[in-house]
Amino acid sequence: QFRKKKLKFCKSHIHDWGLFAMEPIAADEMVIEYVGQNIRQVIADMREKRYEDEGIGSSYMFRVDHDTIIDATKCGNFARFINHSC
């Protein structure tokens, strides 16, 4: 439903798990929609602390704009494993 390209989810040499393209993807093509809960910064801060306290090694939060963050840590899809900092 949210995937537009053939992708593979597996162990990564860079950081634990990763998402890998299984076909060429042009710069302007949709890869996959980042799915999760839309939250505000104050909620993101609280959740990040809670995730640390729960021993969750990685949280998957993606800033959309000044007011909106998508938290895919517990209810996301494979898009959370894309290394969006590169």
Side-chain angles (χ1 to χ4, degrees), residues 36-54 56 59-61 69-75:
Q37 292 181 321
N38 290 354
I39 59 175
R40 298 181 324 267
Q41 183 66 56
V42 65
I43 302 299
D45 292 340
M46 291 186 328
R47 285 189 182 184
E48 192 168 35
K49 173 71 173 119
R50 187 176 76 219
Y51 294 157
E52 288 175 16
D53 293 344
E54 292 175 358
I56 295 175
S59 61
Y60 299 93
M61 296 192 200
I69 296 167
I70 301 175
D71 182 3
T73 305
K74 292 187 175 183
C75 62

Side-chain angles (χ1 to χ4, degrees), residues 12 15-16 18 22 24 31 40 48 61 64 69 81 83 85:
S12 168
H15 184 265
D16 203 20
M22 301 305 292
V31 177
R40 298 181 324 267
E48 192 168 35
M61 296 192 200
V64 176
I69 296 167
F81 298 108
N83 185 347
S85 65

Side-chain angles (χ1 to χ4, degrees), residues 5-44:
K5 291 294 178 180
K6 292 180 185 173
L7 306 170
K8 178 181 174 184
F9 167 70
C10 61
K11 284 296 237 178
S12 168
H13 297 291
I14 297 171
H15 184 265
D16 203 20
W17 293 99
L19 195 64
F20 299 86
M22 301 305 292
E23 64 181 289
I25 300 173
D28 63 343
E29 288 185 288
M30 171 72 162
V31 177
I32 187 171
E33 180 180 359
Y34 199 95
V35 176
Q37 292 181 321
N38 290 354
I39 59 175
R40 298 181 324 267
Q41 183 66 56
V42 65
I43 302 299

